[in-house]
Amino acid sequence: MSDTLSLFSLSGKYAAISGCTRGIGRSMALGLAEAGADVCLLQRNLEDTTVRDEIRALGRRAEIVHLDVSDQASVRTVIDRILQVFPTLDILVNNAGIQKRHDAVDFPEDEFDQVIQANFKSVWIMSQAAARHMIPRGSGKIISTASLMSFQGGIRVPAYAAAKGALSTLTKAMANEWAKHGVNVNAIAPGYVKTDLNEALQNDPVRGKEILSRIPAGRWGAPDDFKGPVVYLASRASDYVHGELSVVDGGWLGR
C-alpha cells in the first residue's frame, strides 16, 4: 500500500456506530470494516444480526451492544458497555436519529422533545463520554450525522431542524476544546438520500419532484455515498480537520 493510501487505513482501530442496521448507518459500518476497523454496532434491536454477519464475513470483528437513543440511561452507559467488549474506542459515529413531521403550528411538544433527545442530546452525552476515554490517550475520532437542516429550516420538521442546527454548533464547540488533545470532532451532513427516514418525501409526487429538480447531480443520494466520507473522517487522512461539517448532497446547497 502506498504511503498516501495508508492514510485511509483503519487497520487495528476499534469503531462504534449507532443507527447502523439500515440505510446510511449500515453503509458507514460496512465502510469502516472494509477499511480495516473492528466495529461495535449500537442497536436497539439485538436480534437483528444482519450487519454484524456482513462485517464478520469481511474478516473483521463485529459485536452488538444495546443502545436506545430515546432512553437516557441507555445513552449514559453505552460507552462503558462498548469498552466491556472492545479494548479501546478509537472512532465513535453518532448516526442514530428519528424524524417527526407536523406543521410547526401544530407540532406536539412530546414529539419535539423526542426528536431533540434522539438527534441532539444523545449525541452530546455519548460524545462527552467518549472524549473522557479518548483525551487521556491523546487520540480519537468523533463523527456525527448532521443534515441539510443544519443549514436550512426545512418544511414541517421544526424539531429536526432545531436538533441538527444545534448539532452543527455543538460539533464546533467540542472540536474547539478537544482538538488540542488529538481528538477530532466533525460531522457529515447528508442531502436527500433514499432511506426509510425520507420515504414520505420520496413518495410525495409534488415535493419529491421539487427536491429532485434542485439536485445538480440529478439523483437522490445512496447510502453507499457515505462510505468514503466516514472513512476519511475516521482515518489519519483527516488528522488536521476539526469542527467541520462535510456536506454530501449532490450539490444541493450550491444551487
Side-chain angles (χ1 to χ4, degrees):
M1 183 182 294
S2 70
D3 289 344
T4 298
L5 288 179
S6 70
L7 290 174
F8 297 88
S9 172
L10 300 180
S11 179
K13 300 296 184 181
Y14 293 93
I17 177 170
S18 65
C20 52
T21 57
R22 61 184 186 270
I24 291 173
R26 172 185 171 273
S27 288
M28 284 181 170
L30 291 172
L32 294 169
E34 289 165 357
D38 293 328
V39 184
C40 185
L41 303 166
L42 309 178
Q43 305 178 194
R44 185 169 54 183
N45 181 4
L46 297 179
E47 296 181 359
D48 185 349
T49 63
T50 304
V51 179
R52 185 200 69 182
D53 296 343
E54 288 180 297
I55 291 175
R56 288 181 177 179
L58 296 171
R60 304 309 317 163
R61 182 180 173 190
E63 306 293 344
I64 296 175
V65 165
H66 180 262
L67 172 66
D68 181 352
V69 292
S70 68
D71 179 357
Q72 276 292 80
S74 178
V75 170
R76 290 187 184 281
T77 60
V78 70
I79 300 300
D80 287 340
R81 288 183 284 114
I82 293 167
L83 294 172
Q84 289 175 2
V85 297
F86 276 177
T88 190
L89 179 62
D90 300 295
I91 302 154
L92 173 65
V93 182
N94 298 300
N95 178 66
I98 63 172
Q99 179 64 287
K100 301 286 185 180
R101 298 181 188 276
H102 300 281
D103 291 341
V105 71
D106 297 319
F107 208 99
E109 184 177 356
D110 63 332
E111 292 192 15
F112 194 97
D113 291 343
Q114 290 169 22
V115 173
I116 295 297
Q117 165 62 33
N119 293 287
F120 176 65
K121 189 171 182 180
S122 69
V123 173
W124 159 242
I125 298 298
M126 290 169 59
S127 298
Q128 184 185 51
R132 287 171 175 161
H133 171 73
M134 293 172 175
I135 286 173
R137 298 174 59 238
S139 67
K141 304 278 186 171
I142 298 174
I143 305 159
S144 300
T145 299
S147 167
L148 290 182
M149 299 305 102
S150 296
F151 308 94
Q152 301 174 324
I155 299 172
R156 304 187 75 239
V157 289
Y160 189 81
K164 295 301 186 178
L167 178 57
S168 69
T169 48
L170 176 65
T171 296
K172 295 178 183 299
M174 293 187 294
N176 286 344
E177 295 193 37
W178 300 342
K180 64 186 177 184
H181 299 292
V183 177
N184 297 72
V185 186
N186 294 289
I188 297 171
Y192 289 94
V193 184
K194 288 188 174 181
T195 65
D196 294 348
L197 196 67
N198 286 322
E199 188 172 1
L201 289 178
Q202 295 171 61
N203 294 335
D204 186 320
V206 176
R207 183 67 178 138
K209 184 178 180 180
E210 289 175 347
I211 290 169
L212 183 60
S213 69
R214 179 176 161 163
I215 302 173
R219 66 174 177 87
W220 284 58
D224 279 0
D225 289 323
F226 295 85
K227 285 186 175 182
V230 77
V231 169
Y232 166 64
L233 290 176
S235 70
R236 290 190 298 121
S238 63
D239 276 356
Y240 199 57
V241 179
H242 295 276
E244 290 299 313
L245 272 69
S246 178
V247 178
V248 184
D249 69 347
W252 170 279
L253 283 181
R255 188 65 177 264

